[in-house]
Amino acid sequence: HAVLRLPDQPAFHNHVGGPHAGVIFTLAESASGAVVIGSFSDLLGTVTPLAASAEIAYRRLAKGPVTAEARLGRAAEDVRRELAETGTTVQFPVEVVVRTEDGTETAQMTVSWALRPNRT
C-alpha cells in the first residue's frame, strides 16, 4: 500500500474552507500511482502503467491535513501472472481512502490502472 499526506494550506482551500475537490482527486490519484509503481517497479522496463479511469466519492468536508491510503484491489501476483500468460494489457483496480488526521473518512476513489506491454 501507499500513503500520501497533504498539509493544510489555504492556497488549496475551496469556498467552504476545505481542500478543493481537485486537490483531493489529485492526492488520491497520486497515491494510487505510488502503489502501482511500488508494486510493479521491476517491470517498468517492459510495461507502461496507465491510469485508465477513476471514480471518486466525496463523503465529508475535509478540514486540516489529509492522507490518502491506496491499496491494490487485486493481488499483484495475479496481475503478474495474467500479464505473463497473455502478453497483453492487464487492468486492475486500486482503492484509495482519504482521511483527516483524526481518521474521519472524507473521500473514496477507485482508479482502474493498466499495465500495457511496451511495443518493440
mmCIF file of all heavy atoms in Angstrom, residues 82-110:
data_model
loop_
_atom_site.group_PDB
_atom_site.id
_atom_site.type_symbol
_atom_site.label_atom_id
_atom_site.label_comp_id
_atom_site.label_asym_id
_atom_site.label_seq_id
_atom_site.Cartn_x
_atom_site.Cartn_y
_atom_site.Cartn_z
ATOM 1 N N GLU A 82 -1.306 -12.919 -15.025
ATOM 2 C CA GLU A 82 -2.096 -12.635 -16.226
ATOM 3 C C GLU A 82 -1.237 -11.964 -17.293
ATOM 4 O O GLU A 82 -1.334 -12.300 -18.482
ATOM 5 C CB GLU A 82 -3.297 -11.763 -15.886
ATOM 6 C CG GLU A 82 -4.188 -11.506 -17.092
ATOM 7 C CD GLU A 82 -5.406 -10.662 -16.778
ATOM 8 O OE1 GLU A 82 -5.783 -10.539 -15.600
ATOM 9 O OE2 GLU A 82 -5.978 -10.116 -17.746
ATOM 10 N N LEU A 83 -0.398 -11.048 -16.882
ATOM 11 C CA LEU A 83 0.488 -10.361 -17.823
ATOM 12 C C LEU A 83 1.424 -11.356 -18.505
ATOM 13 O O LEU A 83 1.601 -11.328 -19.731
ATOM 14 C CB LEU A 83 1.283 -9.288 -17.081
ATOM 15 C CG LEU A 83 2.141 -8.348 -17.909
ATOM 16 C CD1 LEU A 83 1.291 -7.523 -18.860
ATOM 17 C CD2 LEU A 83 2.925 -7.425 -16.985
ATOM 18 N N ALA A 84 1.994 -12.255 -17.736
ATOM 19 C CA ALA A 84 2.915 -13.256 -18.286
ATOM 20 C C ALA A 84 2.195 -14.242 -19.208
ATOM 21 O O ALA A 84 2.725 -14.624 -20.257
ATOM 22 C CB ALA A 84 3.606 -14.010 -17.151
ATOM 23 N N GLU A 85 0.991 -14.631 -18.832
ATOM 24 C CA GLU A 85 0.241 -15.616 -19.616
ATOM 25 C C GLU A 85 -0.316 -15.044 -20.908
ATOM 26 O O GLU A 85 -0.345 -15.727 -21.933
ATOM 27 C CB GLU A 85 -0.899 -16.206 -18.780
ATOM 28 C CG GLU A 85 -0.422 -17.132 -17.683
ATOM 29 C CD GLU A 85 -1.546 -17.585 -16.757
ATOM 30 O OE1 GLU A 85 -2.719 -17.163 -16.949
ATOM 31 O OE2 GLU A 85 -1.245 -18.358 -15.823
ATOM 32 N N THR A 86 -0.785 -13.791 -20.876
ATOM 33 C CA THR A 86 -1.450 -13.227 -22.054
ATOM 34 C C THR A 86 -0.541 -12.355 -22.902
ATOM 35 O O THR A 86 -0.754 -12.247 -24.110
ATOM 36 C CB THR A 86 -2.673 -12.379 -21.643
ATOM 37 O OG1 THR A 86 -2.223 -11.222 -20.934
ATOM 38 C CG2 THR A 86 -3.647 -13.196 -20.802
ATOM 39 N N GLY A 87 0.426 -11.699 -22.274
ATOM 40 C CA GLY A 87 1.287 -10.772 -23.007
ATOM 41 C C GLY A 87 0.550 -9.538 -23.492
ATOM 42 O O GLY A 87 1.063 -8.789 -24.320
ATOM 43 N N THR A 88 -0.660 -9.337 -22.976
ATOM 44 C CA THR A 88 -1.456 -8.171 -23.372
ATOM 45 C C THR A 88 -1.704 -7.276 -22.163
ATOM 46 O O THR A 88 -1.372 -7.622 -21.031
ATOM 47 C CB THR A 88 -2.824 -8.606 -23.956
ATOM 48 O OG1 THR A 88 -3.547 -9.310 -22.944
ATOM 49 C CG2 THR A 88 -2.643 -9.491 -25.179
ATOM 50 N N THR A 89 -2.329 -6.139 -22.406
ATOM 51 C CA THR A 89 -2.628 -5.188 -21.344
ATOM 52 C C THR A 89 -3.502 -5.833 -20.277
ATOM 53 O O THR A 89 -4.481 -6.510 -20.584
ATOM 54 C CB THR A 89 -3.340 -3.962 -21.929
ATOM 55 O OG1 THR A 89 -2.472 -3.337 -22.879
ATOM 56 C CG2 THR A 89 -3.704 -2.955 -20.848
ATOM 57 N N VAL A 90 -3.117 -5.589 -19.025
ATOM 58 C CA VAL A 90 -3.864 -6.116 -17.885
ATOM 59 C C VAL A 90 -4.386 -4.936 -17.072
ATOM 60 O O VAL A 90 -3.632 -4.008 -16.767
ATOM 61 C CB VAL A 90 -2.954 -7.004 -16.998
ATOM 62 C CG1 VAL A 90 -3.689 -7.464 -15.755
ATOM 63 C CG2 VAL A 90 -2.426 -8.189 -17.792
ATOM 64 N N GLN A 91 -5.675 -4.970 -16.742
ATOM 65 C CA GLN A 91 -6.267 -3.909 -15.931
ATOM 66 C C GLN A 91 -6.595 -4.429 -14.533
ATOM 67 O O GLN A 91 -6.914 -5.608 -14.362
ATOM 68 C CB GLN A 91 -7.531 -3.361 -16.578
ATOM 69 C CG GLN A 91 -7.221 -2.463 -17.761
ATOM 70 C CD GLN A 91 -8.425 -1.641 -18.176
ATOM 71 O OE1 GLN A 91 -9.474 -2.190 -18.476
ATOM 72 N NE2 GLN A 91 -8.261 -0.331 -18.207
ATOM 73 N N PHE A 92 -6.516 -3.518 -13.564
ATOM 74 C CA PHE A 92 -6.806 -3.865 -12.179
ATOM 75 C C PHE A 92 -7.167 -2.597 -11.431
ATOM 76 O O PHE A 92 -6.722 -1.503 -11.769
ATOM 77 C CB PHE A 92 -5.598 -4.558 -11.523
ATOM 78 C CG PHE A 92 -4.337 -3.751 -11.623
ATOM 79 C CD1 PHE A 92 -3.964 -2.887 -10.597
ATOM 80 C CD2 PHE A 92 -3.530 -3.824 -12.756
ATOM 81 C CE1 PHE A 92 -2.809 -2.127 -10.704
ATOM 82 C CE2 PHE A 92 -2.374 -3.067 -12.860
ATOM 83 C CZ PHE A 92 -2.012 -2.214 -11.837
ATOM 84 N N PRO A 93 -7.982 -2.721 -10.375
ATOM 85 C CA PRO A 93 -8.369 -1.541 -9.601
ATOM 86 C C PRO A 93 -7.377 -1.238 -8.486
ATOM 87 O O PRO A 93 -6.694 -2.133 -7.975
ATOM 88 C CB PRO A 93 -9.717 -1.950 -9.010
ATOM 89 C CG PRO A 93 -9.592 -3.431 -8.826
ATOM 90 C CD PRO A 93 -8.739 -3.911 -9.988
ATOM 91 N N VAL A 94 -7.322 0.027 -8.131
ATOM 92 C CA VAL A 94 -6.629 0.472 -6.927
ATOM 93 C C VAL A 94 -7.646 1.263 -6.119
ATOM 94 O O VAL A 94 -8.285 2.182 -6.636
ATOM 95 C CB VAL A 94 -5.388 1.337 -7.253
ATOM 96 C CG1 VAL A 94 -4.777 1.889 -5.966
ATOM 97 C CG2 VAL A 94 -4.361 0.528 -8.032
ATOM 98 N N GLU A 95 -7.820 0.869 -4.867
ATOM 99 C CA GLU A 95 -8.778 1.507 -3.968
ATOM 100 C C GLU A 95 -8.041 2.519 -3.087
ATOM 101 O O GLU A 95 -6.985 2.201 -2.539
ATOM 102 C CB GLU A 95 -9.464 0.465 -3.092
ATOM 103 C CG GLU A 95 -10.135 -0.661 -3.862
ATOM 104 C CD GLU A 95 -11.289 -0.222 -4.733
ATOM 105 O OE1 GLU A 95 -11.908 0.829 -4.419
ATOM 106 O OE2 GLU A 95 -11.576 -0.902 -5.729
ATOM 107 N N VAL A 96 -8.604 3.705 -2.957
ATOM 108 C CA VAL A 96 -7.987 4.765 -2.168
ATOM 109 C C VAL A 96 -9.009 5.334 -1.183
ATOM 110 O O VAL A 96 -10.154 5.581 -1.557
ATOM 111 C CB VAL A 96 -7.475 5.917 -3.067
ATOM 112 C CG1 VAL A 96 -6.722 6.950 -2.236
ATOM 113 C CG2 VAL A 96 -6.613 5.392 -4.200
ATOM 114 N N VAL A 97 -8.570 5.524 0.051
ATOM 115 C CA VAL A 97 -9.397 6.166 1.072
ATOM 116 C C VAL A 97 -8.669 7.427 1.527
ATOM 117 O O VAL A 97 -7.471 7.383 1.821
ATOM 118 C CB VAL A 97 -9.645 5.233 2.272
ATOM 119 C CG1 VAL A 97 -10.451 5.944 3.358
ATOM 120 C CG2 VAL A 97 -10.355 3.966 1.826
ATOM 121 N N VAL A 98 -9.399 8.540 1.565
ATOM 122 C CA VAL A 98 -8.850 9.810 2.038
ATOM 123 C C VAL A 98 -9.435 10.073 3.421
ATOM 124 O O VAL A 98 -10.654 9.951 3.618
ATOM 125 C CB VAL A 98 -9.196 10.967 1.071
ATOM 126 C CG1 VAL A 98 -8.644 12.288 1.586
ATOM 127 C CG2 VAL A 98 -8.657 10.659 -0.328
ATOM 128 N N ARG A 99 -8.539 10.415 4.362
ATOM 129 C CA ARG A 99 -8.963 10.641 5.753
ATOM 130 C C ARG A 99 -8.325 11.906 6.323
ATOM 131 O O ARG A 99 -7.231 12.284 5.923
ATOM 132 C CB ARG A 99 -8.522 9.478 6.642
ATOM 133 C CG ARG A 99 -9.195 8.172 6.355
ATOM 134 C CD ARG A 99 -8.743 7.098 7.353
ATOM 135 N NE ARG A 99 -9.377 5.828 7.089
ATOM 136 C CZ ARG A 99 -8.872 4.877 6.310
ATOM 137 N NH1 ARG A 99 -7.706 5.047 5.739
ATOM 138 N NH2 ARG A 99 -9.522 3.752 6.121
ATOM 139 N N THR A 100 -9.012 12.479 7.305
ATOM 140 C CA THR A 100 -8.429 13.569 8.085
ATOM 141 C C THR A 100 -7.522 12.968 9.149
ATOM 142 O O THR A 100 -7.493 11.749 9.332
ATOM 143 C CB THR A 100 -9.531 14.415 8.755
ATOM 144 O OG1 THR A 100 -10.327 13.559 9.582
ATOM 145 C CG2 THR A 100 -10.405 15.109 7.719
ATOM 146 N N GLU A 101 -6.802 13.826 9.865
ATOM 147 C CA GLU A 101 -5.866 13.337 10.881
ATOM 148 C C GLU A 101 -6.535 12.527 11.977
ATOM 149 O O GLU A 101 -5.921 11.637 12.551
ATOM 150 C CB GLU A 101 -5.095 14.502 11.496
ATOM 151 C CG GLU A 101 -4.000 15.017 10.593
ATOM 152 C CD GLU A 101 -3.103 16.016 11.287
ATOM 153 O OE1 GLU A 101 -3.591 16.833 12.099
ATOM 154 O OE2 GLU A 101 -1.894 15.970 11.012
ATOM 155 N N ASP A 102 -7.804 12.803 12.262
ATOM 156 C CA ASP A 102 -8.498 12.043 13.308
ATOM 157 C C ASP A 102 -9.099 10.738 12.786
ATOM 158 O O ASP A 102 -9.784 10.025 13.507
ATOM 159 C CB ASP A 102 -9.571 12.896 13.992
ATOM 160 C CG ASP A 102 -10.750 13.231 13.083
ATOM 161 O OD1 ASP A 102 -10.792 12.795 11.912
ATOM 162 O OD2 ASP A 102 -11.657 13.952 13.562
ATOM 163 N N GLY A 103 -8.838 10.418 11.511
ATOM 164 C CA GLY A 103 -9.312 9.166 10.930
ATOM 165 C C GLY A 103 -10.653 9.236 10.235
ATOM 166 O O GLY A 103 -11.133 8.233 9.701
ATOM 167 N N THR A 104 -11.268 10.402 10.194
ATOM 168 C CA THR A 104 -12.557 10.549 9.520
ATOM 169 C C THR A 104 -12.379 10.372 8.016
ATOM 170 O O THR A 104 -11.569 11.049 7.390
ATOM 171 C CB THR A 104 -13.171 11.938 9.803
ATOM 172 O OG1 THR A 104 -13.342 12.084 11.214
ATOM 173 C CG2 THR A 104 -14.511 12.107 9.096
ATOM 174 N N GLU A 105 -13.148 9.453 7.453
ATOM 175 C CA GLU A 105 -13.083 9.212 6.009
ATOM 176 C C GLU A 105 -13.817 10.332 5.280
ATOM 177 O O GLU A 105 -14.980 10.605 5.561
ATOM 178 C CB GLU A 105 -13.728 7.872 5.695
ATOM 179 C CG GLU A 105 -13.558 7.436 4.277
ATOM 180 C CD GLU A 105 -14.106 6.048 4.045
ATOM 181 O OE1 GLU A 105 -13.649 5.108 4.710
ATOM 182 O OE2 GLU A 105 -15.009 5.925 3.189
ATOM 183 N N THR A 106 -13.114 10.985 4.356
ATOM 184 C CA THR A 106 -13.721 12.106 3.635
ATOM 185 C C THR A 106 -13.957 11.825 2.155
ATOM 186 O O THR A 106 -14.757 12.498 1.522
ATOM 187 C CB THR A 106 -12.859 13.378 3.775
ATOM 188 O OG1 THR A 106 -11.580 13.136 3.210
ATOM 189 C CG2 THR A 106 -12.719 13.769 5.238
ATOM 190 N N ALA A 107 -13.260 10.840 1.605
ATOM 191 C CA ALA A 107 -13.455 10.502 0.193
ATOM 192 C C ALA A 107 -12.979 9.077 -0.058
ATOM 193 O O ALA A 107 -12.123 8.557 0.666
ATOM 194 C CB ALA A 107 -12.694 11.465 -0.711
ATOM 195 N N GLN A 108 -13.547 8.484 -1.101
ATOM 196 C CA GLN A 108 -13.115 7.172 -1.587
ATOM 197 C C GLN A 108 -12.929 7.276 -3.088
ATOM 198 O O GLN A 108 -13.739 7.918 -3.769
ATOM 199 C CB GLN A 108 -14.162 6.096 -1.305
ATOM 200 C CG GLN A 108 -14.393 5.797 0.137
ATOM 201 C CD GLN A 108 -15.499 4.769 0.315
ATOM 202 O OE1 GLN A 108 -16.405 4.656 -0.498
ATOM 203 N NE2 GLN A 108 -15.423 4.019 1.396
ATOM 204 N N MET A 109 -11.886 6.654 -3.581
ATOM 205 C CA MET A 109 -11.628 6.664 -5.020
ATOM 206 C C MET A 109 -11.249 5.257 -5.471
ATOM 207 O O MET A 109 -10.569 4.531 -4.750
ATOM 208 C CB MET A 109 -10.492 7.625 -5.358
ATOM 209 C CG MET A 109 -10.086 7.626 -6.836
ATOM 210 S SD MET A 109 -8.651 8.674 -7.154
ATOM 211 C CE MET A 109 -9.472 10.110 -7.821
ATOM 212 N N THR A 110 -11.694 4.905 -6.655
ATOM 213 C CA THR A 110 -11.232 3.693 -7.326
ATOM 214 C C THR A 110 -10.620 4.128 -8.648
ATOM 215 O O THR A 110 -11.269 4.821 -9.438
ATOM 216 C CB THR A 110 -12.382 2.706 -7.585
ATOM 217 O OG1 THR A 110 -12.979 2.355 -6.337
ATOM 218 C CG2 THR A 110 -11.863 1.449 -8.281
#
